[in-house]
Amino acid sequence: MALLEVEDLRVEFPTRRGALLALDGVSLEINEGEVLGVVGESGAGKSLTGSAIIGLLEPPGRVTGGQIRLEGHRIDDLSYEEMRAIRGKKIGAIFQDPLTSLNPLYTVGRQLVETIRVHLALSLEEARGLAIELLGEVGIPAPERRIDSYPHEFSGGMRQRVVIALALCANPRLIIADEPTTALDVSIQAQIIALLKKLCREHKTAVMLITHDMGVIAETADRVAVMYAGRVAEIGPVKRVVKHPKHPYTVGLMGAIPMVGHDVERLTQIEGAMPRLNEIPAGCSFNPRCPKVFDRCRVERPELMPAGRDAEAACWQFDKEARRG
Amino acid sequence: MARQRAPDPSATPMLEVRDLAKYFDVSKPWLARLIERSPRQILKAVDGLAFDINKGQTFSLVGESGCGKSTVAKLVVGLHAPSRGVIRFEGRDVADAQSRADSAALRRRWQMIFQDPYASLNPRWRVRDIIAEPIRVFGLVKSRREQEDMVAGLLRQVGLSPADGEKYPHEFSGGQRQRISIARALSSNPEFLVCDEPTSALDVSVQAQILNLMKDLQREFGLTYLFISHNLAVVYHLSDKIGVMYLGRLCEVAGAKDLFARPQHPYTRLLLETIPDLEMTGREREPVAGEVPNPINPPSGCAFHPRCPFANERCRSEVPMPTESAGHIVACHAAEEGRLPDATYTPPKQPVAS
């Protein structure tokens, strides 16, 4: 059984002019100790998927359909208090901006100790000891001294390390990392990714890594889900998706990334832009931009279907194959 | 194609920058300094930069945040006055253009595209007025009718429709806004564009559209670009020549291909090491320890020495001067003394789309 199962998840934002469907039938699974990359452009719904799983949807957004199961138990219908017990204990979170995920008024030690004691039955001294150990583990030099520093006394990269320590402190089964390196410089980004990878391997923690950067995914993830307009367009092992993308959107996305050593005069261009939530076209939401569009795409919406070996894509061009296989 | 165009050695470069420096005074207020007996604090944002940009080519500056690359962009277009140094545009010192008409004539010929298309367009102006502003300011057209035609033409050129001129910036997506910024920059028929991270706020598919547009425009109008970015892959794709900056200084300047094939300066090698591997070779990257130091109080000697695996006594005490060999400029003692091991960077290949 997978650690986390998301099935047909729907998230709506009610507005005066009717409900906007921000997530429309998202299904994915994360296995024990696995890194699942979730990639997509702004507005594709990748962060929303993360917030829905951890129960932190911004109102008025709400889950209106589907199920989220952690270790086989539903967590999408839990009360606020019940969810609080899971958040931090079983599912940790790392957000993009380390400055806003830390309280500027408390020392990092106090924040770590508080979080540890909420989830684990430890005395103050024991919790402090664990906090120092964690800070050392995430690569903060001289942790016994730095534990009494305030967040503003750390640099961006160091702050993100503290946030990782916070997310790991109750030894959760799953960490939702939402753009953990986007606000950081390239050389620091490489450090943080290496750290996250190492720690999760050691603690056997599964990670849902949400990012717009295919490079980060390629280096870190085991499997990847490509999202487009509130749906999963393609899901599969990262190597396969990067090297042999199936869905026309993924193909375009990969060609649009400029790469060192690859001399092209022009990059592949996907014409147009992702549709707004209130004007998602009928049929496949990618059909107006798709180079391989045919009649069926404009009418009927494709679900994820097998597209060759260990590949799943939501695209009608693989339908025949699915039937034959 | 910009890359194939052979540079004419006899021609003066479009832009020459010599010993350019910009210092900012970041001291506490006078009274506070007096009470605390603290000295003045000077931030050397840019310190002794020199480079040339040839006509019709793209020169890129790369570096991490705080290295001073955006300050260079502002210095070049005149949004900051340099503390020291010369900027020559087609052989003429920009500081010499004193009279209003003189400097306007010069300023018409260069324009800037900013990073954030949400902040660089006035939300209360219609798009056609935004684009027409440089046309009006420089008095490029005689009649209102001519101005409208020109705006419509510019909108078409950047892939928008003339009817979009009636709209306000908030009605557009990030990529479309960046197209509007480009149309505005092109409206005074400039020859030289300074682009400060024009695509870093955009999604990859939109970034590809903007980069393609920039290349098309360069080919069509023979534009010269100074391109500022932190993204090495974008820089590789676009540039003829690249300068790598670290803490206000250039550590290496070389042709784009040359820089990636034979990186010399240890910092350049570090940067190349951080490029994510899309070829999926499973190569474990060796993340380099340390962070960019505080520019107010930079390390002595070579500013990179605390993070450099090849640093020795000389690097800690003496600032390395740029030295040139075969068109490849490096400011590094280790490179000069031949202490560096050879590094050949084998770039990952493009994944094959099926």
Side-chain angles (χ1 to χ4, degrees):
Chain A
M1 181 183 56
L3 174 68
L4 180 90
E5 295 158 284
V6 176
E7 203 182 294
D8 203 24
L9 182 68
R10 288 162 62 95
V11 168
E12 274 180 20
F13 284 81
T15 66
R16 245 176 291 166
R17 269 168 266 157
L20 293 179
L21 205 51
L23 290 186
D24 189 5
V26 170
S27 301
L28 45 87
E29 285 182 357
I30 304 178
N31 296 314
E32 297 271 345
E34 177 188 57
V35 181
L36 175 78
V38 178
V39 74
E41 299 182 273
S42 357
K46 48 192 196 306
S47 290
L48 265 184
T49 310
S51 330
I53 291 169
I54 202 165
L56 287 177
L57 276 179
E58 287 277 327
R62 61 201 163 96
V63 176
T64 54
Q67 286 194 0
I68 303 169
R69 287 188 298 271
L70 184 72
E71 297 173 319
H73 303 290
R74 275 188 78 167
I75 57 167
D76 55 297
D77 54 358
L78 295 182
S79 70
Y80 182 77
E81 285 303 320
E82 288 170 313
M83 195 61 210
R84 248 180 77 138
I86 289 181
R87 213 181 290 138
K89 176 88 180 98
K90 291 200 164 157
I91 309 179
I94 301 169
F95 296 106
Q96 174 172 349
D97 185 359
L99 198 51
T100 50
S101 17
L102 294 170
N103 189 330
L105 298 177
Y106 296 138
T107 61
V108 298
R110 184 161 167 188
Q111 299 181 49
L112 275 163
V113 167
E114 184 190 339
T115 316
I116 291 169
R117 295 195 65 204
V118 164
H119 296 299
L120 309 172
L122 291 181
S123 72
L124 212 57
E125 284 83 71
E126 286 169 327
R128 195 178 155 87
L130 180 60
I132 292 175
E133 196 181 307
L134 277 166
L135 285 178
E137 209 177 332
V138 295
I140 305 261
E144 52 300 323
R145 241 172 340 108
R146 294 312 297 269
I147 189 166
D148 294 315
S149 307
Y150 287 89
H152 74 265
E153 298 173 83
F154 290 90
S155 68
M158 286 295 158
R159 262 182 229 137
Q160 198 61 300
R161 287 170 192 266
V162 173
V163 173
I164 292 176
L166 263 175
L168 280 174
C169 68
N171 221 346
R173 310 298 309 131
L174 172 71
I175 286 184
I176 311 243
D178 191 352
E179 306 268 8
T181 59
T182 309
L184 306 173
D185 267 321
V186 280
S187 66
I188 311 300
Q189 179 175 319
Q191 294 172 5
I192 296 292
I193 287 177
L195 174 72
L196 197 62
K197 237 162 106 174
K198 179 180 135 250
L199 290 177
C200 291
R201 203 155 43 202
E202 284 169 12
H203 293 245
K204 296 195 174 56
T205 313
V207 182
M208 177 169 165
L209 179 68
I210 300 168
T211 176
H212 67 278
D213 188 339
M214 207 58 173
V216 170
I217 297 266
E219 293 242 313
T220 321
D222 302 309
R223 286 193 308 134
V224 58
V226 181
M227 289 192 68
Y228 183 81
R231 294 173 64 80
V232 176
E234 177 165 0
I235 189 165
V238 68
K239 213 162 183 163
R240 206 273 304 148
V241 174
V242 168
K243 286 194 164 178
H244 307 286
K246 296 289 180 189
H247 195 284
Y249 173 65
T250 322
V251 174
L253 197 64
M254 291 311 302
I257 304 173
M259 264 173 258
V260 173
H262 182 58
D263 297 302
V264 281
E265 186 54 29
R266 292 175 64 86
L267 298 163
T268 312
Q269 199 162 316
I270 313 176
E271 295 302 333
M274 191 150 48
R276 291 176 192 209
L277 286 181
N278 54 357
E279 27 193 63
I280 291 192
C284 171
S285 51
F286 188 61
N287 85 64
R289 306 174 70 189
C290 183
K292 293 193 170 160
V293 63
F294 51 97
D295 291 341
R296 191 175 181 187
C297 308
R298 299 195 182 88
V299 198
E300 227 179 313
R301 205 173 60 182
E303 299 294 330
L304 280 174
M305 56 186 91
R309 205 158 56 86
D310 57 40
E312 273 187 272
C315 178
W316 286 127
Q317 55 168 324
F318 301 109
D319 193 34
K320 242 185 261 157
E321 221 175 293
R323 258 184 224 146
R324 233 188 292 130
Chain B
M1 266 195 259
R3 207 165 269 165
Q4 258 96 53
R5 202 180 296 129
D8 181 2
S10 65
T12 38
M14 187 106 193
L15 188 86
E16 275 175 277
V17 170
R18 290 291 172 269
D19 193 30
L20 187 67
K22 177 70 189 174
Y23 298 166
F24 292 103
D25 189 343
V26 290
S27 318
K28 288 180 180 164
W30 174 79
L31 193 59
R33 277 210 313 276
L34 202 71
I35 293 167
E36 294 170 16
R37 291 166 194 274
S38 54
R40 273 187 177 278
Q41 282 194 314
I42 304 294
L43 170 72
K44 295 181 177 177
V46 176
D47 199 8
L49 229 60
F51 59 86
D52 290 341
I53 308 178
N54 290 328
K55 194 170 166 48
Q57 297 212 321
T58 304
F59 180 82
S60 295
L61 284 175
V62 281
E64 297 179 90
S65 26
C67 73
K69 52 194 193 303
S70 290
T71 309
V72 176
K74 288 182 178 164
L75 283 167
V76 167
V77 292
L79 289 173
H80 282 319
S83 308
R84 193 181 73 223
V86 210
I87 301 168
R88 272 188 228 109
F89 191 69
E90 291 188 330
R92 206 180 134 200
D93 191 342
V94 173
D96 285 347
Q98 288 297 345
S99 80
R100 215 185 154 81
D102 221 18
S103 78
L106 211 51
R107 274 185 289 117
R108 184 197 64 73
R109 300 174 56 194
W110 64 66
Q111 287 289 341
M112 182 156 177
I113 301 167
F114 296 89
Q115 171 173 2
D116 185 356
Y118 292 81
S120 59
L121 301 174
N122 188 337
R124 300 179 61 171
W125 281 24
R126 287 181 196 276
V127 165
R128 57 150 202 257
D129 297 322
I130 293 174
I131 296 175
E133 194 185 15
I135 305 177
R136 273 202 319 278
V137 168
F138 293 116
L140 300 178
V141 291
K142 290 187 193 68
S143 67
R144 177 115 200 133
R145 169 106 222 136
E146 223 178 312
Q147 179 181 315
E148 277 165 22
D149 289 349
M150 204 165 154
V151 170
L154 283 162
L155 280 168
R156 239 179 264 121
Q157 219 147 36
V158 296
L160 296 170
S161 95
D164 287 332
E166 292 303 311
K167 297 185 189 163
Y168 287 96
H170 74 261
E171 297 173 66
F172 295 91
S173 68
Q176 287 171 317
R177 282 180 215 214
Q178 206 55 298
R179 286 172 192 269
I180 296 169
S181 300
I182 294 175
R184 174 179 61 185
L186 290 176
S187 65
S188 65
N189 296 320
E191 293 142 64
F192 178 59
L193 282 185
V194 176
C195 316
D196 187 4
E197 305 252 17
T199 61
S200 50
L202 306 175
D203 276 316
V204 275
S205 74
V206 184
Q207 167 174 286
Q209 294 172 1
I210 298 294
L211 292 178
N212 283 345
L213 175 67
M214 286 180 60
K215 277 202 152 187
D216 293 345
L217 293 170
Q218 181 170 46
R219 201 162 32 217
E220 199 172 332
F221 300 108
L223 293 171
T224 308
Y225 290 137
L226 170 60
F227 190 84
I228 314 276
S229 180
H230 67 275
N231 186 329
L232 286 156
V234 169
V235 160
Y236 178 87
H237 176 71
L238 211 65
S239 322
D240 298 292
K241 219 166 145 191
I242 297 173
V244 181
M245 279 187 79
Y246 190 73
L247 281 183
R249 289 173 179 276
L250 274 171
C251 20
E252 186 162 0
V253 183
K257 291 250 173 69
D258 193 27
L259 185 85
F260 282 90
R262 296 188 302 118
Q264 295 297 306
H265 198 285
Y267 180 62
T268 314
R269 296 179 183 194
L270 180 158
L271 280 183
L272 295 189
E273 193 58 37
T274 62
I275 301 175
D277 180 12
L278 272 170
E279 172 71 343
M280 317 281 308
T281 49
R283 161 178 73 110
E284 284 281 319
R285 285 192 289 161
E286 188 102 347
V288 180
E291 301 183 5
V292 182
N294 185 348
I296 295 178
N297 196 3
S300 62
C302 171
F304 187 61
H305 84 252
R307 300 172 78 185
C308 181
F310 311 107
N312 66 7
E313 257 330 297
R314 188 179 173 205
C315 303
R316 281 183 266 276
S317 55
E318 194 184 323
V319 178
M321 285 297 133
T323 46
E324 185 172 349
S325 77
H328 199 123
I329 302 171
V330 188
C332 175
H333 294 312
E336 197 188 319
E337 296 163 13
R339 278 194 278 126
L340 286 180
D342 279 339
T344 42
Y345 175 73
T346 28
K349 278 181 231 95
Q350 168 88 347
V352 188
S354 61

